[in-house]
């Protein structure tokens, strides 16, 4: 067309056009920008692939990747084709001539403007909607894999008699397809309507018909498809009632049908389905009738029916049929919910036993003996003593222990010992000089395990270490002590290359090492270095001379990160714990399979249910949930992570879990059989805390089995707040070796208490057998206290401790100066019909930066004791001394003064010699240290000789006591019954303390 603009013509039109050199530069920059973006995306993909290959889980990466790619392209293409086809069809069905009106004249400008770009515009629109739809579909990879690999549960829901797998695996996928269908139809309808309007098929203000026959038919078909999908939605909603959540009576997350659902909503959904099918047929009929009248009337009737039948009718049923006789109407449905919830959370086998809460035994000596045999009372609180471990066993500032230590058990002389354990992990905040080389090349790992007896302290209130010093020595024997993977190791390290690493330091100086493990990704390739330099935004990785042949990069180093990465379909427990297994430090992680599609089982929010006073101040202990709410959970996988190599192994733990079987089909070879678990590893597996917390929260309501009691709410319990602090959060469960009334011997258990809803007295005590590999593992026992009598709960016991005048005065004295009193875990132990509470009391201050155990509180039968040791407190409570013999080294024996005056004097000399040696050691005076060690050896020899003489009838007989009472035949250096010398305390924190004691016999 001629130029009607009247503007300048000729060469002057070229003014402002860039030169060829500028155009070339701009084109080059554009190409480089595109290549840069492409390599950035490639770097993310490539580093992920390298990492998964390094941990030998490349199949997880490829399966997940190809599933996402497949879903992206399939659903992206479907959406693009549907929208593009409808736009093309609307354009094809445009009227040959547009009406002569202002509306159409205005639209002519737009039609002419886009005419040259119609194909590109069509491609752009379809590509955009396709990309959005494909990205959304790719996020449903879990739903697709569960649907395509679903394994039957072998259980049917009580309403529709369908396998639970339909609700857990099939229904979520059908709902996604339905949602995708709605989105496709709505976008197609909008695109078609706009195209028809642009080209005159639809008119708003023009005279004549508002729509052409072609536009009417096209849009009617799309509306008919929409209404058809609505009919399918009504049909699926019928099954959705079985997994629908609502607020009802004693639970806020009730799931399943109630009376009004089964008798009003269910028939309403069926009727609405039929109406929607008829309405869809009326829309399709417009292809022949070319009128909107009938379909519009049908659609209006459908909307009216949805209001009346789907909303008003159920409300009337609820008001006039259910509320006047709610218990009778709802009871059958409550029973279904009770059964399903107990099955879904693994609490169906819970053993509830009536328990009096009061002792009937008059024999105080027997009660005192029972207190020793019923439980191994753990007076070392792993949540308190971390600073003590830090102060005594940190050794270097670049090491640190976690805030909360862990409780495990180790076998010593054929007997399991509850043990508090922590790893000396790397702490980059404490390295002498922070720079890139030190942070990532020299300081790369922690070193050694530190462990202490859970049931003992030394004479100063410090832990009795069973594994200590640097390198660590003790009961655990030889094992690989380097810790490259741990809970505090959150940054990357580059190891194995020309740059040596700091291993540890001792009296001879700093030791170096070079990583020899199989873990990590090789950095010898320039491509790998470039990819990681970009992925970590660290250009020095690309050109640093500290990286060379053999260099590897270690990252994703926390246990939970690694398990979550190799098994993204698992929910990870909040507490990974270390254990020495087969001469290696292994992190053990509990992992769960979950679903929120178990019919009739009430839902719970994992983040809320697993919160307690420990997680409130420690985010690393929070559970990593795959779903916000679940109504089925199983501890189906036990995972281990080697602290040196980072190797991850997943073991099938629940061999009957259909959710795990489904994921094992989706990711074959990723989970090893349960039979692959070694005996050494089995000895350290335990019942997980987060699962226990979920179960105890459900059992506050679902411990009852009859609908009437459940509906009345009279038996609702609550988990009490932690009385030892002011956080206001739930008391955490405690690991403890103990025996319940029906058990013949102690078992490693996880315990908690319940109080009545809104009250502080005790309503129940719960324990689960936590010792893996035993027949009773996972068995939940609840001791239910009578409602007719009042038994003090944790908060009341704590208040009783604080209010007694003598105890309050002692606490005040302990707090003198700048000291602080910290209460340890308040343990509850069933004992002869009653309940015994034990709480260690720590003091921090007086120049010390760490807590020491100073007192032990015990309460039983309304009596309280506040003594220096557990044995003294138990003796006072029961008015008798225990007659049960204890092995040498237990705190009962170590706190008794020897009766023989010669032995007492010799041990006093030994104590002075040991203290002199420690002072000399601190000053570096080796001559004085050697002299003190000789004095120590002489004093111990004198004590040994005196005890031997007493055993033969010498001095030990003169005071009326047997030789066995005076000494058990062992020398004092072994921790005899007559009293340990102070040299037998490993809590002094000196790295050479244990070695020096061995030299001196102490």
């Amino acid at each position: 067309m001629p130029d009607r603009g009247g503007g300048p013509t000729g060469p002057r039109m070229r003014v402002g056009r860039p030169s060829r050199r500028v155009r070339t530069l701009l084109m080059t920059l554009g190409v480089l920008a595109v290549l840069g973006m492409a390599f950035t995306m490639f770097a993310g993909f490539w580093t992920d692939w390298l990492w998964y290959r390094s941990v030998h889980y490349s199949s997880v990466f490829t399966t997940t990747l190809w599933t996402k790619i497949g879903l992206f392209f399939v659903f992206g293409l479907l959406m693009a084709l549907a929208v593009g086809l409808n736009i093309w069809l609307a354009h094809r069905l445009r009227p040959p001539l547009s009406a002569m009106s202002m509306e159409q004249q205005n639209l002519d400008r737009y039609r002419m403007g886009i005419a040259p770009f119609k194909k590109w515009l069509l491609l752009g629109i379809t590509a955009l909607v396709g990309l959005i739809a494909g990205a959304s579909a790719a996020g449903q990879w879990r739903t697709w894999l569960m649907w395509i690999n679903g394994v039957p549960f072998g259980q049917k829901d009580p309403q529709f008699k369908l396998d639970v797998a339909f609700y857990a695996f099939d229904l979520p996928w059908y709902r996604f397809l339905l949602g995708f269908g709605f989105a496709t139809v709505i976008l197609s309808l909008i695109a078609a309507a706009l195209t028809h309007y642009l080209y005159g098929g639809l008119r708003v203000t023009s005279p004549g018909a508002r729509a052409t026959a072609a536009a009417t038919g096209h849009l009617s078909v799309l509306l008919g498809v929409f209404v058809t999908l609505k009919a399918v939605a009504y049909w699926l909603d019928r099954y959705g009632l079985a997994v629908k959540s609502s607020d009802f009576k004693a639970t806020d997350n009730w799931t399943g049908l109630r009376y009004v659902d089964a008798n009003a909503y269910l028939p309403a959904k069926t009727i609405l389905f039929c109406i929607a099918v008829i309405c869809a047929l009326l829309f399709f009929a417009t292809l022949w009738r070319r009128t909107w009248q009938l379909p519009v009337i049908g659609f209006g009737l459908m909307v009216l029916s949805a209001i009346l039948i789907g909303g008003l009718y159920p409300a009337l049923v609820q008001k006039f049929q259910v509320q006047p006789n709610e218990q009778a109407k709802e009871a059958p449905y409550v029973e279904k919910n009770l059964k399903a919830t107990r099955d879904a959370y693994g609490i169906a086998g819970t053993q509830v036993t009536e328990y009096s809460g009061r002792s009937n035994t008059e024999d105080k000596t027997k009660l005192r003996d029972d207190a020793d045999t019923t439980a191994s009372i753990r007076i070392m609180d792993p949540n308190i003593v971390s600073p003590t471990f830090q102060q005594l066993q940190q050794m270097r500032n670049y090491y640190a222990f976690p805030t909360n230590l862990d409780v495990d058990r180790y076998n010593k002389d054929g007997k399991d010992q509850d043990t508090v354990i922590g790893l000396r992990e790397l702490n980059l905040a404490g390295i002498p000089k922070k720079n890139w080389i030190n942070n990532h090349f020299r300081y790369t790992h922690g070193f050694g395990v530190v462990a202490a007896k859970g049931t003992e302290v030394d004479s100063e209130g410090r832990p009795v270490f069973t594994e200590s010093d640097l390198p660590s020595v003790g009961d655990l024997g030889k094992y690989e002590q380097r810790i490259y993977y741990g809970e505090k190791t959150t940054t990357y390290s580059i190891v194995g290359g020309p740059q040596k690493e700091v291993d540890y330091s001792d009296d001879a100086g700093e030791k170096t090492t070079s990583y020899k493990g199989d873990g990590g990704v090789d950095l010898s390739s320039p491509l790998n270095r470039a990819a990681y330099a970009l992925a970590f935004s660290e250009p020095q990785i690309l050109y640093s001379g500290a990286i060379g042949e053999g260099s590897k990069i270690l990252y994703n180093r926390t246990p939970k990160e690694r398990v979550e990465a190799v098994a993204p379909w698992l929910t990870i427990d909040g507490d990974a714990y270390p254990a020495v297994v087969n001469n290696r430090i292994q992190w053990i992680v509990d992992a769960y399979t979950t679903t929120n599609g178990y019919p009739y089982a009430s839902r719970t929010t994992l983040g809320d249910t697993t919160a307690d006073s420990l997680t409130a101040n420690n985010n690393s202990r929070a559970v990593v949930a795959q779903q916000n709410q679940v109504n089925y959970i199983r501890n189906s996988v036990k995972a281990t992570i080697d602290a040196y190599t980072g190797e991850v192994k997943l073991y099938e733990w629940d061999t009957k879990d259909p959710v795990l079987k489904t994921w094992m089909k989706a990711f074959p070879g990723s989970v090893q059989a349960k039979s692959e678990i070694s005996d050494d590893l089995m000895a350290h597996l335990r019942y997980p805390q987060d699962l226990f917390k979920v179960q105890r929260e459900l059992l506050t309501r679902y411990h009852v089995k009859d609908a009437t009691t459940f509906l009345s709410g009279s038996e609702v319990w609550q988990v009490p707040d932690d009385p030892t602090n002011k956080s206001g959060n739930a008391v955490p469960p405690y690991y403890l070796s103990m025996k319940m009334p029906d058990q013949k011997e102690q078992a490693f258990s996880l315990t908690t208490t319940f109080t009545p809803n809104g009250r502080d007295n005790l309503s129940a005590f719960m324990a689960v057998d936590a010792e893996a590999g035993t027949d009773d593992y996972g068995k939940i026992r609840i001791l239910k206290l009578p409602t007719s009598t009042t038994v003090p709960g944790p908060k009341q016991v704590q208040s009783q401790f604080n209010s007694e005048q003598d105890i309050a005065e002692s606490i005040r004295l302990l707090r003198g100066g700048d000291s602080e009193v910290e209460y340890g875990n308040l343990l509850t132990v069933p004992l002869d019909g009653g309940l015994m509470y034990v709480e260690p009391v720590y003091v921090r201050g007086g120049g010390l930066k760490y807590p020491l155990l100073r007192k032990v509180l015990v309460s039983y039968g309304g009596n309280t004791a506040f003594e220096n040791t557990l044995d003294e407190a138990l003796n006072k409570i029961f008015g008798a001394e225990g007659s049960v013999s204890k092995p040498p080294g237990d705190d009962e024996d170590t706190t008794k003064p020897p009766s023989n005056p010669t032995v007492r004097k010799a041990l006093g000399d030994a104590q002075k010699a040991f203290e002199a040696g420690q002072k000399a050691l601190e000053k570096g005076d080796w001559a004085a240290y050697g002299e003190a060690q000789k004095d120590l050896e002489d004093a111990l020899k004198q004590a040994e000789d005196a005890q031997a003489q007493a055993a033969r009838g010498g001095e030990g007989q003169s005071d009326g006591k047997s030789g066995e009472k005076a000494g058990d035949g062992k020398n004092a250096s072994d921790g005899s019954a007559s009293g340990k010398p102070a040299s037998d305390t490993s809590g002094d924190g000196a790295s050479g303390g244990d070695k020096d004691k061995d030299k001196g016999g102490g």
Side-chain angles (χ1 to χ4, degrees), residues 608 610-617 689 693 696 727 729-733:
D608 296 338
T610 57
D612 58 26
S613 61
L614 298 183
T615 62
N617 299 315
Q689 292 186 63
K693 286 188 279 190
R696 75 172 178 178
S727 67
N729 297 105
V731 63

Side-chain angles (χ1 to χ4, degrees), residues 900-915:
N900 190 312
T902 305
V903 174
R904 283 201 303 272
K905 181 179 184 307
L907 291 180
D909 293 341
Q911 173 72 20
K912 293 176 182 178
F914 175 75
E915 291 174 353

Side-chain angles (χ1 to χ4, degrees), residues 87-136:
I87 293 175
W88 175 83
L89 188 59
H91 180 266
R92 183 74 180 270
L93 297 174
R94 70 190 184 280
L97 296 173
S98 58
M100 298 301 295
S101 65
M102 288 298 297
E103 180 184 21
Q104 292 304 312
Q105 288 177 15
N106 290 331
L107 290 173
D108 279 343
R109 288 183 298 171
Y110 296 104
R111 289 195 287 266
M112 292 176 65
I114 67 173
F117 313 105
K118 284 192 294 187
K119 289 183 179 179
W120 292 108
L121 187 61
L122 177 63
L123 288 174
I125 292 173
T126 55
L128 179 62
V129 298
L131 286 172
I132 295 173
S136 175

Side-chain angles (χ1 to χ4, degrees), residues 836-851:
M836 179 172 66
Y837 290 93
V838 179
E839 182 178 67
V841 178
Y842 296 83
V843 175
R844 184 203 299 251
L848 293 175
K849 297 180 181 179
Y850 55 94

Side-chain angles (χ1 to χ4, degrees), residues 735-768:
Y735 287 106
L736 182 68
S737 288
M738 54 161 289
K739 63 179 180 181
M740 293 288 273
D742 65 327
Q743 292 179 292
K744 295 182 179 179
E745 57 185 21
Q746 293 181 19
F748 191 62
S749 305
L750 193 52
T751 66
T752 192
T753 53
F754 295 108
T755 58
N757 195 23
R759 296 166 60 196
D760 293 327
N761 58 289
L762 199 67
S763 58
F765 174 83
M766 171 180 168
V768 64

